[in-house]
Amino acid sequence: PAVQVRDTWTALGSVRGGVSKMRWRLHRTLVAAEVAFAAFILIGASLVARTLWTLAHQPLGFVSADLTTFRVEPPFRVDANLPPAELLPALDRDRRRVEGGYRALFGRLQQLRGVEGVGGINRLPLTGNYWVTTVKVPEHPSTDTEGRYQSWIRPVTAGYLETMGTRLLRGRSFTASDNAEGERVVIIDQTLARKVWGDADPIGGIVQLDGPPDHDNSARVIGVAESVHMNRLDAEQVGAVYIPMGQSLEGFFPNWGMDIVVRGRGAAQLGAEFRRLARLEFRDAVAFGETTMDALVAGSLAERRFHFLVLGMFSALALLLSAVGVGGALMLVVRERRNELAVRMALGASRARVWWEVERGGLVLTVAGIAVGTGAALAGARLFESLVYGIDVRDPWSYLIAPILLAVAALAAVAIPATRAISVNPSAILRET
């Protein structure tokens, strides 16, 4: 707009006359295209914002507040090349050794000031694609070729679910009696329960886990826990099977490492103490990775936040340029029509009518651009598929909020030339002419 005004003033020497129709049409077309581009980008940003909101407000399956975690990697002392007949007994002996160390470590952690609960799991929620397995349910075989269901496998200690704040929806939790001498049991999550049993009660059902072919791999379901995102918040849930550590072999092989979770206020400041206590029980163990579950949740949203930051910056720039474009275009119109407006106001036209006429010109440009931009976004909705989760790519709120925001910004910018149009002094301008 500034270049247009400069060229016009240079060519005419004053504001008398007008811009050619062809130049004015080109000018309006460019401004409308600018608004259309802004609408397209704003809709994309709105979709990402709605995705972020959806992810941030979906159930986690645990209570992240006041929850601190660190990882312990005890040494693995079993020769993985042993014959199968010797490997399982060796694994069982080594697991018992490590399990005793964890029990002693948890007892020490429980005595720390402010600690309310302690538990362990082979891999924390939200930490990635680890230990994916399949389970077979003889009573409800899967429809795939092998009749198995994909699932996460998570060996845990007694008290883990309670420490995490993961609700047990049915049945009971693990206890110290769920060991190698007891009946083999599992807890499944709600996702797997619905996938396999539907609305029926899975308590008492039998599942067959992956394991050595000459070993009894069946276990009875004793509980159903609420679903937890094991990979990322924006990854599809496939279901999870929790196994008591005292009965787990394949879930750790060849690694006895566990993520330890500690609930309590101020636990996040006890990282050095956690490492010291871990070395007391496992002299050659590695303890590392102190963090909080709040930080893990925030990290799971980091990529989405980056998308929103980038699109938000472009959207803000597009919004500003669109408002300036519409406002600048109408500023040129006001300057070119200054004499006409003065004559109309001298003949009795109200200031409100003149103000609305200028605003209407901005409204026409804005509506035209928004219509084109929204239509392009709807037609190219597949371009946004990688940016959204949990909402439809044609989410009506996103396609409504973005145009409204753009319209408000553009019409606010038009208020400047509209106000200037009604502030002219008709008698002064007529004397000039």
Side-chain angles (χ1 to χ4, degrees), residues 180-260:
E181 286 73 32
E183 178 189 15
R184 198 173 190 191
V185 294
V186 296
I187 294 175
I188 63 176
D189 73 346
Q190 191 175 20
T191 299
L192 185 61
R194 288 176 175 173
K195 186 186 300 183
V196 179
W197 280 272
D199 295 330
D201 188 356
I203 302 300
I206 302 298
V207 299
Q208 293 180 350
L209 308 173
D210 280 340
D214 56 347
H215 185 71
D216 183 11
N217 301 308
S218 62
R220 184 171 62 88
V221 178
I222 62 169
V224 178
E226 63 178 317
S227 298
V228 176
H229 288 271
M230 294 298 180
N231 192 351
R232 300 191 323 177
L233 286 176
D234 55 359
E236 182 182 359
Q237 296 192 23
V238 298
V241 176
Y242 297 98
I243 303 174
M245 182 185 177
Q247 298 180 354
S248 175
L249 295 178
E250 71 283 352
F252 282 88
F253 185 76
N255 187 322
W256 298 122
M258 295 201 82
D259 289 317
I260 312 302

Side-chain angles (χ1 to χ4, degrees), residues 292-306:
T292 65
M293 288 306 299
D294 282 334
L296 287 178
V297 173
S300 185
L301 296 174
E303 183 178 349
R304 298 287 179 178
R305 285 198 177 98
F306 177 75

Side-chain angles (χ1 to χ4, degrees), residues 17 93 179 240 314:
R93 288 192 299 269
N179 51 34
F314 277 107

